Amino acid sequence: KNTQLRELNLSNNKIDLDGATTLANLLMSKNSLQELRLYCCNLNTLSINIIAKALKTNTTLRKLDLSKNDIDT
């Protein structure tokens, strides 16, 4: 039984702050995740900051797609 999650594609899903927090927890606990696709997920700057903080402890993620989200520049 393979329990290692390596890729997760949540593109085109609306992810709110609770969802971003859940993703952050996943990133902190799943050390096998290598690719996360969050294309067009209605993420805002706050949601992305929550996810970014979790990346400080994640050493396995190699690809992260945040394109087409509402990020302040």
Side-chain angles (χ1 to χ4, degrees):
K1 182 178 174 183
N2 187 353
T3 59
Q4 291 187 344
L5 180 63
R6 296 193 191 280
E7 295 181 20
L8 182 59
N9 185 354
L10 296 174
S11 296
N12 296 304
N13 285 286
K14 290 185 179 179
I15 299 175
D16 59 11
L17 286 177
D18 288 337
T21 301
T22 300
L23 277 173
N25 290 333
L26 173 76
L27 288 169
M28 289 187 288
S29 66
K30 286 288 182 191
N31 292 328
S32 60
L33 191 64
Q34 296 176 358
E35 188 169 334
L36 179 58
R37 293 186 199 112
L38 300 173
Y39 170 88
C40 197
C41 286
N42 203 38
L43 293 169
N44 60 27
T45 302
L46 180 57
S47 298
I48 291 174
N49 282 335
I50 290 169
I51 293 168
K53 286 180 184 175
L55 292 176
K56 290 180 180 181
T57 60
N58 182 293
T59 59
T60 60
L61 194 69
R62 300 291 176 244
K63 293 182 183 179
L64 176 61
D65 183 359
L66 294 172
S67 57
K68 296 291 181 179
N69 283 287
D70 189 22
I71 303 170
D72 295 335
T73 55

